[in-house]
Amino acid sequence: MLVIAVLNIHEELKSDDSFEIFCYDDNLELKNDNVVDLKKVVNGTTGLPKAVVIKHVRQLFVMEAAHKAIGLTENDIIYCHLPLYHSSGGQISTASAILYGTSTFIKKKFSASAFWKDCVKYNITATQYIGEICRYLLAQQPSPEEKQHKVRRMFGNGLRPAVWTEFVTRFNIKDISEFYGATEGNTSTLNNENRVGAVGFVGVIEPSWLQELLLPLRVIRVDPETGEPVRDSNGLCIKCDPGEPGEFVGKIVKGDPIKEFNGYKDEKATSKKILCNVAKHGDRYFRSGDILVQDEFGWMYFKDRAGDTFRWKGENVSTAEVEVAVSKSLDGAGTVAYGAQIPGFEGRAGMVCIQGNPEDHNLEQALQKLSNQLPGYAIPLFYRFSTSLDMTGTYKLKKTKLQEEGIDISRVTDTIIFLNKTKFLPLDKSVLDDIESGKIRL
């Protein structure tokens, strides 16, 4: 059917020499100068970092569910500004166009300065977001277009509670659909009721057998140091109490488009995401790798990535919370928070990489703000300044290399500033020696 549809307008498409058609079909009628054989293009690719297996039934279910659960209609005009190779762009934002014929404007590259201008120009009524994009938009100077647009709904993930109300108020967004989930996973949830900060809802009043049948999702207790599940005397996982952070997991049910986990091309990567003997012996659950909190009513709140928390002075520190707080204290500067290993010290000390130069920011003033937003143990001790932050295609900040380099000034060429009580000192060998010897107490 799709081949016939393309053939009907093929001559019109050919009129633009810059427009390429990618064909994953053996239909010879489509093979000409501006048609690219997609089979040859994708031959041998595995994807980065992990190639995800997505079956057709899963793809169709996600696209159908996205359209209806978010509340989109055939009359909407959707703005897609994320890469189509990512599920947010290729599955969610384009779903309505593919299944229902909804108009979708695809932007080649996201631009914060052009965002609201595009929305006005193309009469956009719904658009996606990623947490970082929300921060970029808030950092922009006010413009007439941010109030003139017709956007009634935004959908995505990563809109943190700290900026949620400010975001919807400033840009006059009537409805936010915040969802949680991984492309390959079975732990998807959706908050389409404008509950500030929530990423979804999992009922708590239904009997356990009904929950197991309809939505077998749970938050389980994990060891903050090792990340491994804490088990009871029977060897089963322990469900977290309301308000207690834990890892979000979902029961794997083979053949079910919602609850199935088809894994990755790499079998070893697949096995790492499967947890056995969770609610009963013999069951299998998908490990989301994310730390969530469920309140007493059933609302789910994203806490952090597992592994993106670190322990300092006997306390668990959330990098997500630190990033938001530091960014706000520095007027929206790009930040990456992580824990840095200090020789001779237990745990990891807080460190943050900030986009820009030290002279661009007033750290003393920022510290005053941080003191009101974070507990003392969560305020970063080390501040690294970099001209750019390494990001993925969906504007998620990479931090593995930063964690590995830590405060090793023999490897780091960027400026690092150390917070010694209330004074900021350039980190050099002399200061490092004083820290390691205990002359400077952390």
Side-chain angles (χ1 to χ4, degrees):
M1 178 65 80
L2 288 176
V3 173
I4 295 174
V6 173
L7 284 173
N8 288 337
I9 59 171
H10 195 220
E11 291 302 316
E12 184 178 341
L13 292 174
K14 286 170 61 178
S15 64
D16 185 352
D17 294 335
S18 66
F19 190 91
E20 289 184 319
I21 302 171
F22 292 88
C23 180
Y24 199 80
D25 191 275
D26 294 325
N27 193 309
L28 296 178
E29 294 180 73
L30 283 178
K31 300 296 189 290
N32 59 44
D33 293 340
N34 71 323
V35 175
V36 179
D37 188 344
L38 192 57
K39 287 184 178 179
K40 293 182 180 179
V41 174
V42 301
N43 184 37
T45 63
T46 59
L48 293 174
K50 290 177 288 192
V52 177
V53 177
I54 301 293
K55 294 185 177 180
H56 286 174
V57 65
R58 169 76 175 215
Q59 174 81 352
L60 287 171
F61 174 81
V62 170
M63 294 169 74
E64 178 84 12
H67 176 86
K68 292 185 176 179
I70 291 172
L72 301 172
T73 72
E74 299 168 17
N75 298 320
D76 275 313
I77 302 176
I78 301 171
Y79 187 25
C80 175
H81 47 78
L82 287 179
L84 297 183
Y85 60 74
H86 187 271
S87 58
S88 291
Q91 284 184 310
I92 309 299
S93 288
T94 56
S96 298
I98 294 172
L99 297 181
Y100 295 96
T102 303
S103 299
T104 298
F105 172 69
I106 300 177
K107 181 82 169 182
K108 188 173 183 179
K109 185 178 181 181
F110 169 77
S111 169
S113 60
F115 185 88
W116 296 115
K117 294 177 182 177
D118 283 343
C119 288
V120 171
K121 181 178 180 180
Y122 298 103
N123 294 313
I124 303 298
T125 61
T127 181
Q128 63 191 151
Y129 65 83
I130 294 289
E132 281 298 298
I133 285 175
C134 295
R135 185 176 63 77
Y136 293 155
L137 294 176
L138 282 171
Q140 293 291 303
Q141 291 296 318
S143 68
E145 289 84 4
E146 70 183 45
K147 296 294 186 182
Q148 295 170 353
H149 64 83
K150 298 178 181 178
V151 176
R152 64 178 182 85
R153 180 177 294 278
M154 293 186 71
F155 52 92
N157 57 289
L159 182 55
R160 297 287 178 258
V163 299
W164 187 303
T165 301
E166 179 186 359
F167 185 85
V168 298
T169 301
R170 173 176 169 180
F171 300 122
N172 192 30
I173 306 299
K174 298 289 191 299
D175 291 295
I176 291 287
S177 289
E178 169 85 7
F179 61 81
Y180 166 84
T183 302
E184 74 281 15
N186 64 356
T187 51
S188 300
T189 60
L190 172 70
N191 165 22
N192 57 6
E193 297 185 27
N194 293 299
R195 180 86 174 192
V196 175
V199 299
F201 180 85
V202 177
V204 293
I205 62 173
E206 299 88 353
S208 58
W209 66 266
L210 186 59
Q211 292 180 6
E212 184 78 6
L213 178 66
L214 298 179
L215 206 61
L217 304 171
R218 60 179 60 205
V219 180
I220 61 169
R221 193 172 295 169
V222 293
D223 186 294
E225 295 288 349
T226 65
E228 290 303 307
V230 178
R231 296 183 180 272
D232 60 20
S233 58
N234 296 316
L236 300 177
C237 294
I238 300 173
K239 194 172 182 179
C240 288
D241 295 326
E244 179 186 6
E247 184 172 357
F248 197 39
V249 298
K251 186 177 181 181
I252 298 173
V253 180
K254 192 172 180 61
D256 189 303
I258 310 174
K259 307 180 186 74
E260 176 67 287
F261 171 53
N262 297 307
Y264 311 97
K265 191 175 180 66
D266 183 349
E267 292 184 6
K268 185 180 290 187
T270 300
S271 63
K272 289 181 179 179
K273 299 294 284 188
I274 298 176
L275 185 63
C276 299
N277 306 322
V278 175
K280 61 182 180 181
H281 290 283
D283 64 15
R284 300 193 312 154
Y285 274 68
F286 169 77
R287 301 194 68 169
S288 71
D290 291 327
I291 303 299
L292 272 66
V293 176
Q294 185 177 30
D295 67 17
E296 64 271 31
F297 304 109
W299 288 104
M300 310 294 299
Y301 297 85
F302 181 86
K303 184 73 173 176
D304 215 332
R305 302 283 182 190
D308 279 356
T309 57
F310 60 91
R311 200 166 181 82
W312 181 244
K313 295 188 176 181
E315 299 286 352
N316 292 324
V317 181
S318 164
T319 58
E321 291 179 2
V322 173
E323 285 168 358
V324 170
V326 175
S327 179
K328 287 185 69 176
S329 71
L330 296 175
D331 298 322
T335 59
V336 186
Y338 48 100
Q341 289 186 320
I342 313 297
F345 287 82
E346 290 292 330
R348 292 172 178 261
M351 188 167 184
V352 61
C353 185
I354 302 166
Q355 187 171 13
N357 300 307
E359 55 268 27
D360 297 334
H361 304 286
N362 187 329
L363 290 179
E364 286 78 13
Q365 189 177 76
L367 180 60
Q368 294 179 0
K369 297 178 181 178
L370 286 177
S371 300
N372 295 323
Q373 299 179 51
L374 295 172
Y377 61 81
I379 295 177
L381 296 182
F382 300 94
Y383 299 77
R384 174 175 174 174
F385 291 86
S386 181
T387 54
S388 63
L389 300 180
D390 198 8
M391 296 187 180
T392 68
T394 51
Y395 305 98
K396 294 178 181 178
L397 298 164
K398 297 180 180 179
K399 60 180 69 176
T400 303
K401 185 180 179 182
L402 295 172
Q403 289 172 324
E404 291 175 351
E405 294 176 343
I407 59 171
D408 188 349
I409 57 176
S410 67
R411 299 174 61 188
V412 178
T413 57
D414 296 330
T415 299
I416 300 178
I417 304 296
F418 165 61
L419 174 60
N420 184 16
K421 301 295 187 289
T422 58
K423 295 181 179 180
F424 289 94
L425 308 173
L427 186 67
D428 55 22
K429 188 178 185 305
S430 173
V431 174
L432 270 177
D433 289 342
D434 287 345
I435 292 174
E436 293 180 17
S437 67
K439 187 175 181 180
I440 292 180
R441 300 185 62 181
L442 301 184

